[in-house]
């Protein structure tokens, strides 16, 4: 059902070539191989290290990638000599050249895409469509040429249902589910993910707008409960932090603490901490008291897959980052609350 639903939205066929480069253990990567077999378009499978040379070699019409990949391409273009951010036509042409020259549109998912990233591509006519899905559900929602709302993950596919539990967590049902339980897992994992009727508890928080577009606000795990008892959803704050040019990635910390602390992955070798603190002050100026970020830790090196602080889908590993920088984090609280 998901294959046929997506095919109706995009109409892939002879002449199309979909390029994928993440691990094939991920269902959303294998999906496009199945689609090629079913609908007669080409698929190119490569690695993260070889994706840009592969794009130059085969000229894909679609690239499926995580936001971190498209952010990297964006940074390369913006840092190139002579780049003019006001020249929209030139930006379109540069993106096309870097990605093989035949791009119809780009797809992203697996992690949230920032508004700045979406605007960079969509603002010059290279469509970057967000979608949403899990290994346990396959594709749930997807933006497409006929139904696109920037910032959303699109409308539901016809074969999917979404309900919300009392905490606002998405519960996904399927007419023809990918699976309804794990065949092999640790005790309790089945009950955490699958309801008795086979529907999937995603642990993502979101909502529908009045026109049926789905928005994902973040993971339930991304809610920090301060010592005051106040709950803070960190994703919107982290997105604002990433707007600063010295910030490559960041995570917030603060569960059981009196305020939030940001651990920042540097985008440059020499971070301007004064400018970064001014950026924090600007965020705090319009934030609620519990949303204010009063502690700052700049990591000694950027978070990466190689140092095991990012997943293979470029998502930060919060617990590992918190653990690695525990001493620095603790010092920020000691500074304001000594003893």
């Amino acid at each position: 059902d998901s294959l046929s639903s997506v095919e109706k939205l995009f109409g892939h066929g002879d002449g199309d070539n979909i390029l994928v480069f993440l691990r094939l253990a991920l269902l959303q990567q294998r999906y496009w191989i199945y689609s090629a077999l079913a609908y007669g378009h080409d698929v190119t499978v490569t690695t993260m290290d070889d994706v840009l040379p592969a794009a130059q070699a085969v000229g894909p019409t679609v690239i499926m990638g995580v936001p971190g990949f498209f952010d990297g391409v964006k940074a390369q273009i913006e840092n190139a000599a002579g780049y003019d951010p006001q020249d929209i036509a030139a930006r379109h042409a540069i993106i096309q050249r870097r990605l093989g020259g035949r791009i119809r549109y780009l797809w992203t998912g697996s992690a949230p895409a920032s508004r700045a990233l979406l605007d960079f591509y969509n603002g010059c006519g290279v469509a970057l469509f967000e979608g949403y899905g899990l290994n346990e559900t396959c594709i749930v929602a997807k933006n497409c040429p006929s139904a696109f709302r920037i910032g959303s993950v699109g409308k539901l596919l016809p074969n999917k249902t979404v309900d919300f539990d009392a905490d606002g967590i998405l519960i996904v049902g399927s007419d023809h589910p990918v699976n309804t339980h794990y065949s092999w897992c640790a005790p309790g994992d089945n009950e955490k993910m699958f309801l008795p009727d086979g529907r999937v508890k995603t642990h993502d928080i979101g909502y529908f707008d009045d026109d049926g577009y789905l928005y994902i606000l973040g993971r339930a795990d991304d809610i920090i409960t301060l010592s005051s008892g106040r709950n803070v959803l960190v994703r919107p704050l982290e997105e604002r932090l990433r707007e600063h040019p010295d910030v490559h990635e960041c995570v917030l910390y603060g569960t059981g603490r009196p305020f939030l602390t940001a651990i920042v992955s540097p985008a440059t070798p020499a971070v301007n901490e004064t400018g970064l603190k001014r950026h924090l002050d600007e965020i705090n100026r319009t934030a609620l008291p519990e949303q204010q970020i009063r502690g700052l830790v700049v990591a000694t090196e950027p978070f990466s897959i190689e140092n095991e602080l990012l997943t293979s889908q470029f998502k930060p590993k919060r617990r590992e980052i918190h653990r690695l920088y525990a001493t620095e984090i603790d010092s920020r609280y000691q500074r304001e609350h000594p003893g």
Side-chain angles (χ1 to χ4, degrees), residues 41-54:
H41 62 77
D42 291 334
V43 62
T44 297
V45 181
T46 187
T47 65
M48 174 65 74
D49 291 338
D50 294 328
V51 59
L52 290 178

Side-chain angles (χ1 to χ4, degrees), residues 190-202:
N190 261 319
E191 293 74 15
K192 181 180 179 181
M193 182 62 68
F194 294 99
L195 299 182
D197 61 6
R199 290 183 300 160
V200 175
K201 184 174 182 177
T202 65

Side-chain angles (χ1 to χ4, degrees), residues 112-336:
S114 70
R115 183 58 185 259
L117 177 66
L118 295 169
D119 287 343
F120 180 82
Y121 290 92
N122 291 294
C124 70
V126 181
L128 176 60
F129 294 134
E130 276 194 283
Y132 174 73
L134 305 171
N135 274 340
E136 293 81 3
T137 64
C138 204
I139 297 173
V140 175
K142 205 166 184 69
N143 280 293
C144 66
S146 62
F148 175 40
R149 184 154 296 174
I150 197 165
S152 80
V153 295
K155 292 188 174 183
L156 287 188
L157 297 189
N159 59 316
K160 303 294 183 185
T161 63
V162 165
D163 297 295
F164 300 92
D165 71 7
D167 297 317
I169 293 174
L170 278 74
I171 308 295
V172 175
S174 304
D175 290 347
H176 301 282
V178 176
N179 57 5
T180 57
H181 66 281
Y182 296 134
S183 299
W184 183 266
C185 64
D189 282 357
N190 261 319
E191 293 74 15
K192 181 180 179 181
M193 182 62 68
F194 294 99
L195 299 182
D197 61 6
R199 290 183 300 160
V200 175
K201 184 174 182 177
T202 65
H203 300 277
D204 289 315
I205 298 171
Y207 69 94
F208 285 106
D209 69 12
D210 292 340
D211 296 318
Y213 287 91
L214 178 62
Y215 291 77
I216 303 299
L217 298 175
R219 298 282 295 169
D221 293 343
D222 294 345
I223 294 176
I224 287 175
T225 302
L226 299 175
S227 58
S228 63
R230 295 281 188 176
N231 291 329
V232 183
L233 185 62
V234 299
R235 175 178 160 185
L237 295 169
E238 290 171 347
E239 286 183 357
R240 291 195 64 188
L241 267 170
R242 291 189 198 100
E243 293 172 2
H244 192 279
D246 283 352
V247 178
H248 160 252
E249 182 57 91
C250 63
V251 298
L252 292 179
Y253 173 87
T255 296
R257 300 284 198 161
F259 57 84
L260 297 174
T261 291
I263 305 95
V264 167
S265 169
T268 59
V271 172
N272 180 349
E273 289 201 33
T274 301
L276 189 51
K277 288 175 181 175
R278 281 200 296 267
H279 183 56
L280 281 179
D281 289 341
E282 182 62 25
I283 293 172
N284 290 341
R285 189 176 63 81
T286 57
L288 295 171
E290 64 269 18
Q291 296 173 324
Q292 293 179 4
I293 305 165
R294 290 162 46 193
L296 174 65
V297 173
V298 177
T300 54
E301 63 176 342
F303 308 156
S304 68
I305 296 172
E306 289 72 25
N307 62 24
E308 299 184 346
L309 296 180
L310 294 180
T311 71
S312 62
Q313 296 170 286
F314 290 86
K315 298 177 184 178
K317 296 181 178 180
R318 295 181 183 275
R319 291 182 182 177
E320 285 81 353
I321 293 165
H322 294 162
R323 188 180 303 114
L324 181 62
Y325 290 97
T327 300
E328 292 85 348
I329 292 169
D330 285 342
S331 72
R332 302 309 184 265
Y333 295 101
Q334 287 293 326
R335 190 178 300 168
E336 292 213 16

